Amino acid sequence: MAPDYLALKQSMAAAEADPDVDTGPAAVALVRQWLDRYESEIIGRRLESPNEFNGTMIQWFHWYGEADGGHWRRLSQEAGNLAAAGFTGIWLPPAYKGSGPTDVGYGVYDLYDLGEFDQKGTIRTRYGTKQEYLAAVQACRQAGLQVYADVVFNHKIGADSPEDFGATPYDPANRNQGLGNERTIRAWTNFRFEGRQGQYSNLIWHWYHFDAVDHNLLDQGMPAIWKVHGADFEHNVDLEKGNYDYLMGCDLNINHPEVRSELKAWGEWTLDTVGVDGFRLDAIKHIASDFFIDWIGHVERHAQRDLFVVGEYWSNKLESLSWYAANSGGRMSLFDAPLHYNFHAASTSGGQFDMQRLLDGSLMQTMPLLAVTLVDNHDTQPLQSLQSTVEAWFKPLAYAVILLRDQGYPCVFHADYYGAQYGERRHGQEISIDLASHRFLIDRFLRARSKCAYGAQYDYFDHFNCIGWTRLGTPSHPRAMAVLMSDGDAGWKWMEVGKAHTVFRDLSGHIQGAITTNGDGWANWRCLGGSVSVWVEQELITELGVVLD
């Protein structure tokens, strides 16, 4: 039974139209009901062996990574090591031309320039040339990694010249509040891509391809969001500031037929040219959810296969995320921002966070099939606008949660895996950041994930500080595992692993010595304070080549 994506959207529309229905809880319930009906089919369409595959992706960049044009070359060299470590997918940074040589990729100028044309003062992008990008993607695919391309459909930045057109000013803090009548403004909205000369696409972007801008060269002192003549702010977007359609730059008018056609054509071109396996969609809370039912369906028909798509709707509100998931027909996964914020809160609470509630309000708990779980990312790292970094001491605990539990598709952050050192000058002072590498433990968790994170999961979330769970394995992956963590003092807990009289060792190396289960497959597992221990069968330690002191 093929998933009925439109039915979920229609159910959400009906709930919103009913004045007696509380939209937020209704959205959560509708998505959960829809997943209960179609989950098995969706998993089966994604995976050849849906019950015996533990995928893990890595976000292979961070905001302050080197801007030397060598990123793609480094990836080509590292792809095999990533696959050997246990990663199965890789999320790459925006590969197209941004507003300048050091643009991280979110100030998008030309989607079709992958580091091939002399535009915005450079041929290569921050990450390298088109040839290097394609070589890196090929290296990933040869290593067995799925490749996900990052794309911004929300806005364009760095126009080639300004244009005059009619627009109406709105209050930046309340986009439902007009600030006057329509008038002629002048704004940077003409994108000609002269370096590309019409190759791959001959569309020239004009003011009418956008629905709003935030500048007016004829009245630069007036702070306003200028709604373009003939356009409307999009519906089915986040309701912050009244209507959060507009974020920055020249906001694409997603309802304009030429814009929709161009974005579909770009998706086809990317699949044919680069050969990606899916997409990470940026800033979707500012884009009408309806569009993605159309766009994802279109590119999947072109690819003649299912694609993995994850959207960045950054909100810690489960109801908001459920609402967007329903309005986009369940077509895409979403990043589990609520889980990240739970990790952040736990890491900064000095042992006063109730670990029993660590998963509360998360996508992992409520709609795991659509959850991409993460600890940190390029927006939450220090010095970024959404800074909410999970403290270093708690990161091993957080990674154990996303890598060793049954729910969600985990994403490891580049800066957490490799570490990162960078700085920035603010208010006349140099700020230096040094993020520690957690690769040693993440690699061990990945090994446990590949061998032990299968089958029934028994949860023991029954203590304020100390929580745990066990995995009992399957016939194809029979190894059992017990995970115990504490954000307070050292802890212990009786938990069942289903293996009688079996010797286990702590794969993390935090606790020396062995634990042997009793005749019923139970044992008193232990962990250190502010730490996590991952107990696996002793025979597996040798099999994995792990040396424990």
Side-chain angles (χ1 to χ4, degrees), residues 243-365:
N243 178 297
Y244 215 179
D245 173 17
Y246 183 82
L247 175 64
M248 64 174 68
C250 300
D251 194 88
L252 270 61
N253 182 355
I254 216 75
N255 295 315
H256 193 289
E258 289 186 345
V259 172
R260 293 178 80 94
S261 177
E262 182 74 349
L263 298 185
K264 290 177 181 178
W266 178 85
E268 295 178 6
W269 177 81
T270 298
L271 290 168
D272 295 342
T273 304
V274 184
V276 298
D277 302 285
F279 298 90
R280 181 265 184 187
L281 304 173
D282 183 66
I284 62 169
K285 69 193 295 184
H286 311 283
I287 303 173
S289 54
D290 313 63
F291 168 69
F292 291 112
I293 298 178
D294 185 22
W295 187 82
I296 295 172
H298 178 88
V299 294
E300 286 190 337
R301 287 190 295 273
H302 179 79
Q304 296 186 343
R305 58 191 170 96
D306 284 359
L307 301 169
F308 175 75
V309 181
V310 57
E312 183 224 9
Y313 191 113
W314 198 254
S315 171
N316 64 354
K317 299 177 181 177
L318 176 62
E319 291 182 351
S320 296
L321 290 164
S322 300
W323 172 83
Y324 201 91
N327 272 298
S328 54
R331 270 291 193 178
M332 71 176 86
S333 296
L334 296 171
F335 287 105
D336 198 346
L339 182 63
H340 157 79
Y341 282 112
N342 287 352
F343 290 154
H344 172 67
S347 77
T348 58
S349 296
Q352 298 306 304
F353 184 89
D354 186 354
M355 292 288 282
Q356 299 172 99
R357 307 192 66 178
L358 188 62
L359 307 182
D360 283 8
S362 68
L363 299 185
M364 171 184 260
Q365 183 183 67

Side-chain angles (χ1 to χ4, degrees), residues 42-84:
I42 293 172
I43 293 174
R45 290 163 63 94
R46 288 182 180 179
L47 305 172
E48 294 181 3
S49 302
N51 295 318
E52 299 291 343
F53 178 78
N54 282 336
T56 305
M57 80 170 82
I58 182 168
Q59 178 185 351
W60 214 77
F61 68 101
H62 67 90
W63 193 271
Y64 298 94
E66 294 179 80
D68 60 357
H71 193 75
W72 300 138
R73 295 193 301 273
R74 289 187 285 271
L75 176 56
S76 291
Q77 296 172 353
E78 184 70 358
N81 295 330
L82 293 170

Side-chain angles (χ1 to χ4, degrees), residues 113-273:
D113 184 355
L114 301 176
E116 182 179 6
F117 304 101
D118 189 357
Q119 300 187 118
K120 294 299 160 186
T122 179
I123 293 177
R124 70 164 175 85
T125 68
R126 179 188 184 95
Y127 308 106
T129 66
K130 176 182 179 181
Q131 292 78 9
E132 291 165 341
Y133 173 52
L134 297 181
V137 170
Q138 184 62 19
C140 290
R141 293 180 64 83
Q142 287 177 346
L145 298 169
Q146 287 199 336
V147 177
Y148 309 136
D150 200 321
V151 61
V152 179
F153 283 162
N154 182 70
H155 54 267
K156 283 187 172 295
I157 290 176
D160 299 304
S161 61
E163 297 177 305
D164 290 358
F165 53 94
T168 304
Y170 283 81
D171 185 347
N174 179 6
R175 281 76 181 281
N176 295 322
Q177 179 64 51
L179 299 178
N181 297 324
E182 180 177 308
R183 67 200 70 175
T184 297
I185 72 167
R186 181 173 298 158
W188 290 86
T189 52
N190 183 213
F191 293 78
R192 297 189 299 274
F193 315 118
E194 292 174 347
R196 183 159 52 81
Q197 291 288 306
Q199 191 169 345
Y200 309 132
S201 170
N202 58 15
L203 179 65
I204 303 299
W205 292 69
H206 293 285
W207 60 269
Y208 48 81
H209 292 119
F210 307 104
D211 58 29
V213 296
D214 65 354
H215 66 285
N216 175 10
L217 298 175
L218 301 179
D219 188 358
Q220 299 189 58
M222 181 177 183
I225 304 300
W226 297 90
K227 183 165 71 69
V228 173
H229 172 79
D232 290 310
F233 292 128
E234 294 168 17
H235 301 291
N236 287 333
V237 297
D238 191 85
L239 298 181
E240 185 179 345
K241 302 183 180 183
N243 178 297
Y244 215 179
D245 173 17
Y246 183 82
L247 175 64
M248 64 174 68
C250 300
D251 194 88
L252 270 61
N253 182 355
I254 216 75
N255 295 315
H256 193 289
E258 289 186 345
V259 172
R260 293 178 80 94
S261 177
E262 182 74 349
L263 298 185
K264 290 177 181 178
W266 178 85
E268 295 178 6
W269 177 81
T270 298
L271 290 168
D272 295 342
T273 304

